[in-house]
Amino acid sequence: MDDEYPPIQGAICPTPLPHQDKIILGHGSGGKLSQNLIQKHFMPAFTNPMLMAGDDSAVVLLDAISKDNRLAISTDSHVVWPLFFPGGDIGRLAVCGTVNDLAMVGALPLYLTAGFILEEGLDISVLERVLQSMKDAAQESGILIVAGDTKVVQRGKADGLYINTAGFGLIDPRVHISGANAKPGDIVILSGSVGDHGISVLQARNELGFAAEISSDIAPLNHLTQAMLRVCPDIHVMRDPTRGGLATSLNEIARQSNVGIVIDEKNVPVKPPVASACEMLGFDPLYIANEGKLVAFIPEIYATKVLDSMRDTQYGESSTIIGSVVAEHPGKVLLKTGLGSTRILDSLSGELLPRIC
Amino acid sequence: MDDEYPPIQGAICPTPLPHQDKIILGHGSGGKLSQNLIQKHFMPAFTNPMLMAGDDSAVVLLDAISKDNRLAISTDSHVVWPLFFPGGDIGRLAVCGTVNDLAMVGALPLYLTAGFILEEGLDISVLERVLQSMKDAAQESGILIVAGDTKVVQRGKADGLYINTAGFGLIDPRVHISGANAKPGDIVILSGSVGDHGISVLQARNELGFAAEISSDIAPLNHLTQAMLRVCPDIHVMRDPTRGGLATSLNEIARQSNVGIVIDEKNVPVKPPVASACEMLGFDPLYIANEGKLVAFIPEIYATKVLDSMRDTQYGESSTIIGSVVAEHPGKVLLKTGLGSTRILDSLSGELLPRIC
């Protein structure tokens, strides 16, 4: 390795790196090829002074912080397959997934890290599309990508690329949101239709067996949650029903808060093509993953104000009340079905759709 | 899915989950199997109130923060193969890698997130060993694991497991460390021998072709950096020479600071078995990855104080001065060789050892 270079007294002629249109193992070396990949592809997408500093950690100032602020910290790995599907891709998912986890505790999302595991042989044009999506989603949400990392594994040791994101946000001292805070009397609001994301990914896998027009709902929900918090700092619970669907999220909340939750099935919006797809495949849309929806538990007196604030935002137009919290049946979710009966709605058991996010 | 459960008026008899000794796709569902995996294996290893809250984000208070504090943020994905090797494993690596990135900007490491990508079929006993290592390394460094995520991919779409960590720490207002801060006249200190980690992993791959006794140097360096900062808050640069080795880290610093760095090869410690392995394989130890070493650039007047403080710590016993910063040859690293000549020491080009971290 050393002998390539002339002694110091001689001329220094660095060899230009050959053009690459696929990821090779050398892109994970930490040396010149890694630097080249980062400078050429990652930096232009995510440029900001904290990332550009190029040190081992990004260094950020929290101007707005006081001793009363709390920091929200979250992480998600993304292994969705295929990488692209109607309405989104792994890049948009990786940013929105973590932005939404921060938003669900009422935090203002501030900083994001991104770790990439790339498979040898990946088209760099695919990476570029994903980075562009991440850039767009970060801009839409207002989060800054401040630190990153890239590793490369041999062909057959990943599936194109996997992305981990971790995020940090600040929580206003007046806000105390937790899955453990649901109270009897709270109403349950859902921000829109369920099942869109999961069915969109199935469609991209050609597993529907018929043509449909279903787009994933992937979206950053922080502007929606901030609008809600402006009219009601006393939101008790928020959660985005991703893997496991609405049914699983509601069960988590019922257990954490030790309350009963009663949901009226006919009030849960399901788009007709999603309903048809679920019917044909034998799925219940209440268990299908969403990536741009939230459920919120709030004191009933705020219902109109909060609903109005939600319906005024891009991703909350179809917000609606779907149920309420009761003291009976602690830890359980009860579903009033369209047929007039009431049954227990349990968490997802087993695996419905692998690699949905 | 719904029909498994009796109507609300009937008895509720939840079916116990079958015992699993291997990871199955259902462990990534977000439903009961995921919950079970987390409750049974992750929570006991990492238990703390912030993680146990079970919300979408961990919520932490920064008691010690003021408007002058800066926050350090870093991330690393870990794909080392094999998962276990002399002196460490992927779990210890995943914690120490990010702790060290925080320590290298002078931060006190506080909070860590961990994202796991598990391959279907992974032995749960392997996961347990890795989690135990992470727990031990987190305790040793004093960092708290506050948020996590687990995804499962099909057999052949990963290689056992991959771990991403992201970390957050606080930087004292007096500390300003960056790769851009090296100044002519600074001395360069190295905290110990180079090449141990890379050669230890090669040994575990049976690629040495001979038996050796080389342990990885993986260690959390934050106690070492805090000891250094106590005697010298004016450290200019710190960096841990991981992928690409000492040569690549020094080149990054020379470019960031636009200075020349002169290193005396005979002062760079290399353990005899590492030197032998490198010689047989045609490697230069200056390009081999380390996971428990740092280089620091400090004003010469602090040399004795800082060296003494380093040698008093567990991972800095063999600290030594290896060179200095000059105004000439900006952006270049010069190596005074054992033969008395001086040559340019360049960054790693190409791939030396894939999946070394």
Side-chain angles (χ1 to χ4, degrees):
Chain A
M1 177 137 307
D2 307 318
D3 299 343
E4 296 176 36
Y5 297 99
I8 182 64
Q9 55 270 32
I12 298 163
C13 311
T15 325
L17 292 169
H19 174 75
Q20 296 285 349
D21 57 8
K22 298 211 183 272
I23 292 293
I24 59 173
L25 284 173
H27 284 129
S29 65
K32 288 183 182 181
L33 279 163
S34 301
Q35 274 302 319
N36 189 253
L37 184 75
I38 291 165
Q39 295 297 340
K40 208 164 147 193
H41 301 286
F42 288 84
M43 286 298 190
F46 302 147
T47 182
N48 66 62
M50 287 157 283
L51 188 67
M52 304 296 279
D55 285 318
D56 283 321
S57 293
V59 176
V60 303
L61 247 177
L62 293 176
D63 288 325
I65 206 163
S66 76
K67 273 189 199 298
D68 300 327
N69 282 123
R70 287 153 300 146
L71 196 65
I73 302 181
S74 190
T75 190
D76 252 326
S77 295
H78 299 87
V79 299
V80 68
W81 180 83
L83 298 176
F84 302 93
F85 43 84
D89 62 27
I90 192 172
R92 183 165 171 82
L93 190 63
V95 172
C96 295
T98 294
V99 163
N100 292 348
D101 281 343
L102 297 173
M104 290 310 120
V105 296
L108 192 71
L110 293 176
Y111 300 114
L112 198 72
T113 68
F116 295 82
I117 296 174
L118 309 178
E119 186 188 6
E120 180 189 15
L122 176 73
D123 279 330
I124 288 186
S125 62
V126 167
L127 178 64
E128 288 253 303
R129 277 177 69 191
V130 170
L131 293 176
Q132 183 63 44
S133 279
M134 293 183 75
K135 176 184 180 175
D136 294 344
Q139 279 181 344
E140 185 183 351
S141 66
I143 204 164
L144 275 182
I145 299 174
V146 294
D149 178 60
T150 305
K151 294 291 190 308
V152 180
V153 296
Q154 300 92 336
R155 215 176 280 266
K157 300 298 182 188
D159 200 2
L161 78 159
Y162 300 143
I163 307 175
N164 175 284
T165 50
F168 319 94
L170 274 186
I171 306 174
D172 185 289
R174 291 167 302 170
V175 172
H176 294 276
I177 296 172
S178 165
N181 290 352
K183 303 269 183 310
D186 283 355
I187 57 158
V188 181
I189 298 179
L190 176 65
S191 65
S193 62
V194 295
D196 303 14
H197 175 70
I199 298 299
S200 145
V201 173
L202 273 194
Q203 184 181 331
R205 290 183 194 166
N206 295 317
E207 287 184 14
L208 287 191
F210 59 91
E213 286 282 328
I214 302 161
S215 262
S216 168
D217 59 350
I218 306 182
L221 297 176
N222 57 309
H223 300 306
L224 171 60
T225 57
Q226 292 298 318
M228 296 165 72
L229 286 167
R230 274 194 292 273
V231 299
C232 174
D234 190 25
I235 294 174
H236 290 168
V237 183
M238 286 199 287
R239 190 149 296 177
D240 56 334
T242 56
R243 276 186 297 180
L246 179 63
T248 302
S249 289
L250 292 173
N251 268 280
E252 288 167 10
I253 296 164
R255 274 198 303 273
Q256 275 182 272
S257 294
N258 202 33
V259 295
I261 300 174
V262 183
I263 299 297
D264 201 336
E265 190 172 26
K266 72 174 187 303
N267 291 344
V268 177
V270 183
K271 288 182 183 158
V274 172
S276 308
C278 283
E279 200 163 323
M280 290 186 63
L281 297 164
F283 292 149
D284 183 334
L286 297 177
Y287 291 94
I288 306 281
N290 312 282
E291 292 291 345
K293 297 294 154 37
L294 65 82
V295 275
F297 290 58
I298 59 167
E300 197 177 358
I301 46 164
Y302 293 111
T304 313
K305 262 186 164 176
V306 170
L307 268 178
D308 286 351
S309 75
M310 294 176 77
R311 289 174 180 157
D312 276 350
T313 67
Q314 183 179 1
Y315 301 121
E317 283 177 1
S318 308
S319 297
T320 187
I321 295 173
I322 61 166
S324 60
V325 177
V326 295
E328 298 79 37
H329 309 291
K332 303 282 175 209
V333 181
L334 310 185
L335 188 73
K336 291 193 205 165
T337 68
L339 302 170
S341 66
T342 298
R343 65 175 175 83
I344 293 212
L345 185 69
D346 202 354
S347 292
L348 177 65
S349 69
E351 177 59 281
L352 194 56
L353 304 169
R355 294 179 59 192
I356 208 71
C357 60
Chain B
M1 179 134 309
D2 308 318
D3 299 343
E4 293 174 39
Y5 296 98
I8 182 63
Q9 57 269 32
I12 298 163
C13 310
T15 325
L17 293 169
H19 174 75
Q20 298 285 351
D21 57 9
K22 297 209 184 271
I23 291 293
I24 59 174
L25 284 173
H27 283 128
S29 65
K32 288 183 182 180
L33 280 164
S34 302
Q35 275 301 319
N36 189 252
L37 184 75
I38 291 165
Q39 295 297 340
K40 210 164 146 195
H41 301 286
F42 288 84
M43 287 297 190
F46 302 147
T47 184
N48 66 64
M50 288 157 283
L51 187 69
M52 304 296 278
D55 287 317
D56 284 321
S57 292
V59 176
V60 303
L61 248 177
L62 293 177
D63 288 325
I65 206 163
S66 75
K67 276 190 198 294
D68 300 327
N69 282 124
R70 286 152 301 146
L71 196 65
I73 301 181
S74 189
T75 190
D76 252 325
S77 295
H78 300 87
V79 298
V80 68
W81 180 84
L83 299 175
F84 303 93
F85 43 84
D89 62 26
I90 191 171
R92 184 165 171 84
L93 190 62
V95 172
C96 295
T98 294
V99 163
N100 291 348
D101 281 342
L102 296 173
M104 291 309 121
V105 296
L108 192 69
L110 293 176
Y111 300 113
L112 197 72
T113 69
F116 295 83
I117 297 175
L118 309 179
E119 185 187 9
E120 179 188 16
L122 176 73
D123 279 332
I124 288 185
S125 63
V126 168
L127 178 63
E128 289 254 304
R129 277 177 70 190
V130 170
L131 293 176
Q132 184 62 46
S133 278
M134 293 182 76
K135 177 185 178 172
D136 294 344
Q139 280 181 344
E140 185 182 351
S141 67
I143 204 164
L144 275 181
I145 299 175
V146 294
D149 177 61
T150 307
K151 294 292 189 307
V152 180
V153 297
Q154 300 93 334
R155 215 177 278 267
K157 301 296 182 188
D159 200 1
L161 77 159
Y162 300 144
I163 306 175
N164 175 284
T165 50
F168 319 94
L170 275 185
I171 306 173
D172 186 288
R174 290 168 301 170
V175 172
H176 294 275
I177 295 173
S178 165
N181 290 351
K183 303 269 183 310
D186 283 356
I187 58 157
V188 182
I189 298 179
L190 175 67
S191 66
S193 62
V194 296
D196 302 14
H197 175 70
I199 297 300
S200 144
V201 173
L202 274 194
Q203 184 181 330
R205 290 183 193 165
N206 296 316
E207 287 183 13
L208 287 191
F210 59 92
E213 285 282 327
I214 303 161
S215 263
S216 168
D217 58 351
I218 305 183
L221 297 176
N222 56 310
H223 300 305
L224 171 61
T225 58
Q226 293 297 318
M228 295 164 72
L229 285 167
R230 274 194 291 275
V231 299
C232 174
D234 189 26
I235 294 174
H236 290 169
V237 183
M238 286 198 288
R239 191 149 294 179
D240 56 334
T242 57
R243 274 185 298 179
L246 179 64
T248 302
S249 289
L250 292 173
N251 269 280
E252 288 167 10
I253 296 164
R255 275 196 303 273
Q256 276 181 271
S257 295
N258 201 33
V259 295
I261 300 174
V262 183
I263 299 298
D264 200 336
E265 190 172 27
K266 72 174 187 304
N267 291 344
V268 177
V270 182
K271 289 181 181 156
V274 172
S276 308
C278 284
E279 199 163 325
M280 289 187 63
L281 297 163
F283 293 149
D284 183 335
L286 296 178
Y287 291 95
I288 305 282
N290 312 281
E291 292 291 344
K293 297 292 154 39
L294 64 81
V295 274
F297 290 58
I298 59 168
E300 197 177 359
I301 47 163
Y302 293 110
T304 312
K305 264 186 164 177
V306 170
L307 268 177
D308 285 350
S309 74
M310 294 176 77
R311 289 174 180 157
D312 275 350
T313 68
Q314 184 179 1
Y315 301 121
E317 283 177 0
S318 309
S319 297
T320 186
I321 296 172
I322 61 165
S324 61
V325 177
V326 296
E328 298 77 38
H329 310 291
K332 304 279 173 212
V333 181
L334 311 186
L335 188 74
K336 292 193 205 164
T337 68
L339 302 171
S341 65
T342 298
R343 63 176 176 84
I344 291 212
L345 184 70
D346 202 354
S347 292
L348 179 64
S349 68
E351 177 59 281
L352 192 56
L353 304 170
R355 295 179 59 191
I356 209 72
C357 62

